[in-house]
Amino acid sequence: MLHQPKDLSNVQSGALRIFDRLPRNIALFGAPVQEGAGKLGCKMGPDALRVADLPKELASLGHAVRDHGDLTPELVTDLTIPGAALHAEIITGWTRTLDKAAYGALAAGQLPVFLGGDHSLSMGSVSGAARFAAEAGRPLHVLWLDAHSDFNTPLTSPSGNMHGMPVAFFCGRPGMEGILPNDRPLVRPQDVSIYGARSIDHDERKALREAGVNVFDMRVIDERGTGSIMRDILDRVEAENAMLHVSFDVDFLDPDLAPGVGTAVRGGVTYREAHLVMEMLADRGVTTSLDLVELNPFLDDRGKSALLVVELIASLFGRQVFER
């Protein structure tokens, strides 16, 4: 269950907004990692987003955009992970690289956007954001837009694919020690909101309940509506003066809209629901870091998925039909 937001009656309207609609310094980082997924192709995702003109779209909205190109993983050869964790050493290398990139960009006053690549990249991007937030004395909230909850560990994962483990990792569930320092800042499970879920493994369900993660599956979205849920999530972010990391998995969308994913699940978020999520994020201006993950151009239909992602991210960064 969501915690009730603190009383904002004594706070001037909009005073807690972090960025509002001011131009932002956006740092793009390619993370062509695919070893965390079960199908090849995600490593082409960063280039597909560039070909779909993501940097140009963001710049057209008045933001300062710098593309830092594609990152490379640190070399790791001495890691032992008990249980099923495929390609753990290369995912560890990526995690360490992305942790440093996220922290460094935020420390430089930039908003980092990570172009994936599979969802294992969030083990590093969120961890770096959590480290910066802890030093700034602020909580980090995570909005996880995904058909899956990604709360498995090597000891519970049916597949061993590490793109199903990042939420468990940055919340500190046991089984992945040594990937980053064990005393690193973590994200509190109650500060994670998984939105759009419709495929959760049996063991994950129990773990999510016990940990207190906020899970908004498609039934909840159908019953309550996008606007009501997003207002609750964003009210709490503002009430706590939190930073917000948004992690956007393309399979959050219905596969009829975005077929270019390796783990498509029917019954996903519609075109208008997705735009409303992005528009409400833009209205509040609380997003401080962002992942775009699991785009697989090999499985796409003539760039359909990449073009839609760029359109949605433009909404997140302020594109509107009509000024309000």
Side-chain angles (χ1 to χ4, degrees):
M1 298 295 292
L2 278 172
H3 293 242
Q4 291 297 316
K6 297 177 183 177
D7 182 13
L8 300 181
S9 58
N10 295 323
V11 179
Q12 183 179 359
S13 177
L16 291 178
R17 292 179 180 176
I18 298 168
F19 289 111
D20 202 16
R21 293 191 180 280
L22 297 175
R24 309 185 190 186
N25 290 319
I26 298 173
L28 301 179
F29 298 96
V33 52
Q34 65 181 4
E35 289 81 5
K39 295 182 180 178
L40 301 179
C42 282
K43 70 182 301 180
M44 298 184 287
D47 283 342
L49 290 167
R50 294 181 178 111
V51 170
D53 277 342
L54 179 62
K56 181 179 178 181
E57 285 294 317
L58 296 177
S60 74
L61 296 169
H63 304 296
V65 182
R66 181 181 176 187
D67 189 344
H68 293 264
D70 288 350
L71 301 173
T72 56
E74 290 188 13
L75 179 63
V76 177
T77 59
D78 57 352
L79 182 76
T80 300
I81 297 288
L86 300 175
H87 309 293
E89 289 183 336
I90 192 167
I91 299 303
T92 296
W94 275 112
T95 300
R96 294 174 182 177
T97 291
L98 291 161
D99 169 80
K100 292 174 183 175
Y103 176 86
L106 288 164
Q110 301 168 333
L111 190 157
V113 177
F114 296 95
L115 314 179
D118 72 65
H119 222 156
S120 66
L121 72 84
S122 299
M123 294 169 64
S125 63
V126 177
S127 294
R131 184 155 58 99
F132 177 82
E135 291 184 5
R138 298 170 64 185
L140 178 70
H141 287 215
V142 177
L143 177 59
W144 198 259
L145 304 174
D146 200 330
H148 309 86
S149 59
D150 296 339
F151 207 61
N152 273 308
T153 73
L155 300 176
T156 66
S157 173
S159 67
N161 293 324
M162 294 190 75
H163 71 164
M165 305 181 191
V167 181
F169 177 77
F170 60 69
C171 287
R173 291 195 72 205
M176 291 174 277
E177 292 76 16
I179 294 177
L180 287 177
N182 294 333
D183 61 350
R184 71 189 191 278
L186 301 174
V187 178
R188 299 183 305 175
Q190 62 266 34
D191 292 339
V192 178
S193 295
I194 297 171
Y195 187 98
R198 52 198 187 276
S199 177
I200 302 176
D201 294 328
H202 180 270
D203 289 343
E204 281 184 296
R205 297 173 194 170
K206 180 180 178 182
L208 289 161
R209 289 192 196 97
E210 291 176 348
V213 176
N214 303 294
V215 180
F216 301 98
D217 63 11
M218 291 308 300
R219 173 172 176 171
V220 174
I221 294 169
D222 289 342
E223 290 181 343
R224 288 189 53 191
T226 299
S228 171
I229 296 169
M230 287 299 298
R231 275 191 293 273
D232 282 352
I233 293 171
L234 295 171
D235 282 351
R236 187 167 167 239
V237 171
E238 287 190 333
E240 297 184 11
N241 191 30
M243 298 175 62
L244 178 65
H245 182 99
V246 177
S247 198
F248 181 105
D249 188 317
V250 180
D251 71 25
F252 158 70
L253 303 164
D254 191 271
D256 287 343
L257 296 172
V261 294
T263 52
V265 185
R266 291 187 300 174
V269 171
T270 68
Y271 178 86
R272 268 309 315 158
E273 287 171 334
H275 266 293
L276 182 56
V277 169
M278 299 299 138
E279 289 160 358
M280 293 184 74
L281 287 166
D283 288 346
R284 300 295 187 103
V286 293
T287 302
T288 51
S289 48
L290 173 67
D291 304 323
L292 305 175
V293 304
E294 297 286 349
L295 175 63
N296 190 327
F298 185 76
L299 302 173
D300 205 2
D301 178 10
R302 295 172 292 178
K304 177 179 179 179
S305 303
L307 290 168
L308 177 54
V309 170
V310 170
E311 182 182 328
L312 290 167
I313 299 311
S315 286
L316 189 155
F317 282 101
R319 187 178 297 285
Q320 299 182 82
V321 174
F322 188 75
E323 288 287 343
R324 287 171 172 79

